[in-house]
Amino acid sequence: QLQLVESGGGLVRPGGSLRLSCTASGGTLGDYTIGWFRQAPGKEREGVSFISSTGDSFLYADSVKGRFTIFRDDAKNTVYLQMNNLKADDTAEYYCAADHLYTRMWDVFSLLGNYLEVWGQGTLVTVSS
C-alpha cells in the first residue's frame, strides 16, 4: 500500500520561496503520476501541478505558472514542488496525490473525475507579512 507524506510547509513572506516534498513509502513513486493540490479555508480544492511517472509530462495551474516548478527525484522516492514569488493567495493546505494513470490525474485536475489512488495528509503553507 503506497503512502504519501508531505513536508516543507510553513510561514513565508510574500515574494518568498518554499519547497514542498512528497515522499512515498510502501511503493515506488516512479510508477505513479504525482499531483499537487491545495485547499484554502472556505474555498474549493484546486489542482496546482502534476508530473507524469516518467517526468516527461507536467501541467501547472494558470495561477502558479512561472512561479512554481514540479520535479521528481525517483532515487529519493520524492516529488517536489518549488514555489517562488509566493503570494497571499497561495496560502492553503497543500496535498500530494498519486495514481498509476496519468489520464486519471488529468481528469481530476480538469474537474472531469473524482478519484485518485492515494492522497497524503497535507502540509500547511501560510504566506503573510
Side-chain angles (χ1 to χ4, degrees):
Q1 176 69 37
L2 185 75
Q3 293 179 294
L4 302 176
V5 177
E6 302 94 337
S7 62
L11 176 64
V12 63
R13 292 181 177 182
S17 297
L18 211 57
R19 180 178 291 181
L20 306 183
S21 299
C22 176
T23 300
S25 61
T28 301
L29 202 60
D31 295 334
Y32 296 84
T33 296
I34 305 298
W36 283 99
F37 300 81
R38 66 187 183 186
Q39 187 167 22
K43 299 179 68 176
E44 297 292 318
R45 184 185 68 197
E46 64 175 333
V48 177
S49 181
F50 67 83
I51 185 168
S52 66
S53 60
T54 58
D56 61 350
S57 183
F58 48 85
L59 179 142
Y60 298 95
D62 287 343
S63 59
V64 307
K65 285 181 180 177
R67 300 189 298 119
F68 290 12
T69 303
I70 189 168
F71 60 101
R72 60 194 306 152
D73 186 345
D74 290 335
K76 296 182 178 180
N77 228 19
T78 299
V79 170
Y80 301 92
L81 184 69
Q82 178 67 45
M83 306 186 295
N84 297 327
N85 192 24
L86 284 160
K87 304 175 179 180
D89 286 347
D90 296 318
T91 296
E93 189 85 7
Y94 283 72
Y95 302 87
C96 63
D99 202 286
H100 281 100
L101 298 182
Y102 172 89
T103 54
R104 206 143 56 203
M105 185 70 70
W106 179 268
D107 285 348
V108 173
F109 255 75
S110 302
L111 304 180
L112 301 176
N114 56 17
Y115 174 81
L116 293 172
E117 292 172 339
V118 183
W119 289 85
Q121 291 294 107
T123 185
L124 180 63
V125 173
T126 303
V127 184
S128 177
S129 60

